[in-house]
Amino acid sequence: MSSEVLVNPRGIFDRGALGVTLEAVPVLIERQRVRFFAQVLGETNLIHFDADVAHAAGHHDLVAPASFFMVVEAAANEERGRRALPSLLDVVVCDFRYLLHGDERYFYDAPIYAGEEVLFASKVVDFYDKKGGAMEFVVTESTITHPKRGVLMRSRRTLLHRLPDAKDGSR
Amino acid sequence: MSELDLSAAEVGATLPDVEFGPISRATLALYAGASGDHNPVHIDLDFAKAAGLPDVFAHGMLSFGVLTRVVTSWAGIGRLREFAARFVSITQVHDRITCKATIIEKFEAEGEQRLRLNLIATAQDGRETLNGHAVVAVS
């Protein structure tokens, strides 16, 4: 996607973050977190709740639901905070007042199991603008890797700012 | 799950719908806690109003997560290869979401038979909130 405007005077994202790579931090996949997350989404498959059922279905442990990626990302951000490292949202400079999801694309290489420690790494791959600069977009890619099992999941996500009116700062 | 014969699935077939909601403020608070997404725009009305919004609104990834259930409850999460969705409109408090999937293609990739599914989530008034696609392995 090419940019309509090279520099967006209304933009909030830090375009200087293009190409920045955030090195991996470890995240423990907590069993109760898998259960809680699955429950809120209305999951009923017991592979997310009952280790015996998960084992019987051929899994090592409770299986994280398909959208658990973002739980790992949030946990990685917390871990980065404890290490005084910036999160991806810090690096690209997000303003929660105007921030929206554009799209999310996930690739599944292997299941994420409770009880495992995985590594979460990210990079900033693109910035672009639309509607004459009224909306700005950032594209990021992240990977969840297990030290022995290899890559488990990959994401490509677009976040956007629906920017406030340049004149008075309101929406 | 291994007994399920997805190879018999035909292009044009629809999967069983998943219904979710109505999405309450409590749902949003629980999702914030469960997901770790603490963006106050979803849980703090004061913050939302200060940002010029009429109310808090649902996490995009909440609807996304519900939409994945259409595919995983049918095929099993182990068969899932790809899941993608675009956020078309904001999901509001009290919305009831219906998630649908249709098989649109059979193809081969990386040595396995796969199905591509078209996905859509709509609110009770017919408003489309998400659309996307998923890829599942047949065998």
Side-chain angles (χ1 to χ4, degrees):
Chain A
M1 191 86 61
S2 63
S3 300
E4 279 177 31
V5 279
L6 284 176
V7 176
N8 186 345
R10 291 160 64 181
I12 296 167
F13 289 136
D14 176 9
R15 310 298 168 104
L18 184 63
V20 166
T21 298
L22 300 190
E23 65 184 79
V25 291
V27 172
L28 176 66
I29 309 299
E30 295 167 338
R31 283 191 188 83
Q32 194 50 37
R33 196 62 177 279
V34 170
R35 292 191 185 102
F36 183 20
F37 187 74
Q39 183 195 354
V40 173
L41 291 180
E43 291 280 5
T44 53
N45 191 327
L46 290 175
I47 62 170
H48 305 303
F49 300 97
D50 185 330
D52 291 340
V53 173
H55 290 151
H59 298 290
H60 300 182
D61 207 310
L62 301 183
V63 183
S67 63
F68 198 79
F69 193 96
M70 60 92 45
V71 183
V72 179
E73 176 165 27
N77 284 338
E78 289 171 19
E79 179 61 27
R80 296 185 67 80
R82 283 190 287 273
R83 297 176 179 208
L85 297 169
S87 71
L88 198 61
L89 299 185
D90 296 330
V91 167
V92 302
V93 184
C94 292
D95 187 328
F96 284 142
R97 293 176 297 170
Y98 313 120
L99 190 69
L100 293 169
H101 291 279
D103 58 64
E104 310 256 340
R105 189 173 185 191
Y106 295 97
F107 302 93
Y108 298 82
D109 298 296
I112 297 176
Y113 292 128
E116 289 185 334
E117 188 171 83
V118 297
L119 294 166
F120 188 90
S122 300
K123 61 183 173 181
V124 182
V125 297
D126 197 12
F127 285 103
Y128 59 94
D129 301 276
K130 277 187 180 174
K131 299 193 176 171
M135 298 168 92
E136 62 168 355
F137 298 76
V138 60
V139 182
T140 64
E141 290 180 351
S142 303
T143 307
I144 295 175
T145 310
H146 183 272
K148 293 207 178 74
R149 296 198 290 124
V151 174
L152 306 182
M153 263 186 90
R154 291 164 287 137
S155 76
R156 184 178 170 91
R157 317 169 61 191
T158 306
L159 293 170
L160 64 111
H161 281 139
R162 191 190 282 163
L163 292 164
D165 196 328
K167 290 189 294 293
D168 58 7
S170 68
R171 289 170 64 85
Chain B
M1 269 183 299
S2 52
E3 317 86 53
L4 185 65
D5 185 11
L6 299 191
S7 61
E10 293 296 335
V11 169
T14 57
L15 276 49
D17 292 356
V18 167
E19 309 267 347
F20 189 81
I23 294 172
S24 66
R25 293 167 205 283
T27 309
L28 300 185
L30 290 170
Y31 186 79
S35 69
D37 179 345
H38 300 162
N39 182 344
V41 83
H42 303 300
I43 49 178
D44 184 339
L45 183 58
D46 298 340
F47 182 93
K49 285 190 168 165
L53 298 165
D55 199 350
V56 296
F57 60 93
H59 303 76
M61 289 305 289
L62 170 59
S63 299
F64 188 101
V66 173
L67 188 57
T68 65
R69 286 177 45 205
V70 181
V71 179
T72 58
S73 62
W74 178 71
I77 193 168
R79 297 177 193 270
L80 188 61
R81 297 292 178 265
E82 184 181 333
F83 194 98
R86 225 158 45 85
F87 297 85
V88 181
S89 68
I90 286 174
T91 302
Q92 308 289 354
V93 176
H94 310 313
D95 275 354
R96 281 180 287 107
I97 302 299
T98 302
C99 300
K100 293 177 181 293
T102 308
I103 300 168
I104 56 167
E105 188 189 358
K106 283 184 167 184
F107 65 103
E108 208 175 301
E110 296 178 47
E112 58 184 16
Q113 276 294 123
R114 293 180 176 179
L115 302 174
R116 187 179 306 277
L117 301 112
N118 192 44
L119 311 168
I120 186 165
T122 51
Q124 65 287 345
D125 53 3
R127 172 170 33 97
E128 188 175 326
T129 55
L130 268 84
N131 65 47
H133 73 269
V135 174
V136 299
V138 165
S139 50

